[in-house]
Amino acid sequence: PNKPLDPEIVGITGITDEMLKNQRIDDDEVDRIISDAAVVIAHNARFDRPFVEQRWASFEQKAWACSLTQIPWGSLGFESAKLEYLAYRLGFFFHGHRAETDCRAGLEILSRTLQPKGEFALKVLLDEARRKSYRVWAVGAPFEAKDTLKARGYRWNNGENGKPRAWHKDVSEDLYEEEARYLSDSILQGNLDPIVDTISAFNRFSERG
């Protein structure tokens, strides 16, 4: 990183400045590794995807899935979706916070079957990743509606990413018409039609999405 590591990072990962000396990431090798990938899976893709897309444009062309948010861990009886907790509940442990070890643990978790349906975690994840969703924008919503929108699960976008400076919410395909009707009738009061973005595995979790 061209500067000393933060002591907290050293404590968490065990990686030291000496270990990083004269090391670099081979960009061509990264492109080669992912060239045949059908899907990139991350345990928090909302963080990882923008991070890697800044350096490797090849990641922009890939479908992505998030094992943190696209498996309904809570409804399946898990109190946390952290890797270490999932591993504990599924009967194994590992020393986390090192990239390769975390990836291997993630693969082990995805290979397990989940109750009550007895489906592989990987199947649950990929079925969800294949579904389209929609981002509904409350452009033109009155200021006094902000608390109502926030309570309904809308989040504020400040406009610095090239998207509208407005509240927005991601909804599944089966809930889209209901949400669009609510926004139009109750918030925009029929004066404007909601702005909608279609989201798929190819732009979900990306700053381009």
Side-chain angles (χ1 to χ4, degrees), residues 108-190:
E108 180 65 24
I109 289 168
L110 292 174
S111 75
R112 300 300 184 93
T113 55
L114 303 176
Q115 300 306 322
K117 293 184 178 180
E119 294 180 319
F120 285 114
L122 179 60
K123 180 183 184 303
V124 175
L125 172 61
L126 294 181
D127 285 348
E128 181 61 27
R130 290 186 180 103
R131 293 189 179 96
K132 289 183 179 179
S133 57
Y134 297 92
R135 179 161 296 169
V136 183
W137 294 88
V139 176
F143 177 78
E144 56 269 21
K146 64 181 180 64
D147 291 335
T148 301
L149 290 169
K150 187 175 182 179
R152 195 176 172 90
Y154 281 75
R155 297 186 300 168
W156 176 253
N157 183 67
N158 60 17
E160 294 179 358
N161 56 1
K163 294 292 183 178
R165 189 172 185 269
W167 293 92
H168 64 88
K169 180 181 180 180
D170 292 352
V171 295
S172 59
E173 197 165 7
D174 56 327
L175 296 178
Y176 160 66
E177 289 189 7
E178 176 186 342
E179 192 62 36
R181 186 165 51 251
Y182 163 80
L183 189 60
S184 178
D185 295 346
S186 301
I187 302 298
L188 304 180
Q189 299 179 344

Side-chain angles (χ1 to χ4, degrees), residues 2 41 75 107 124:
N2 297 320
I41 297 173
S75 64
L107 289 172
V124 175

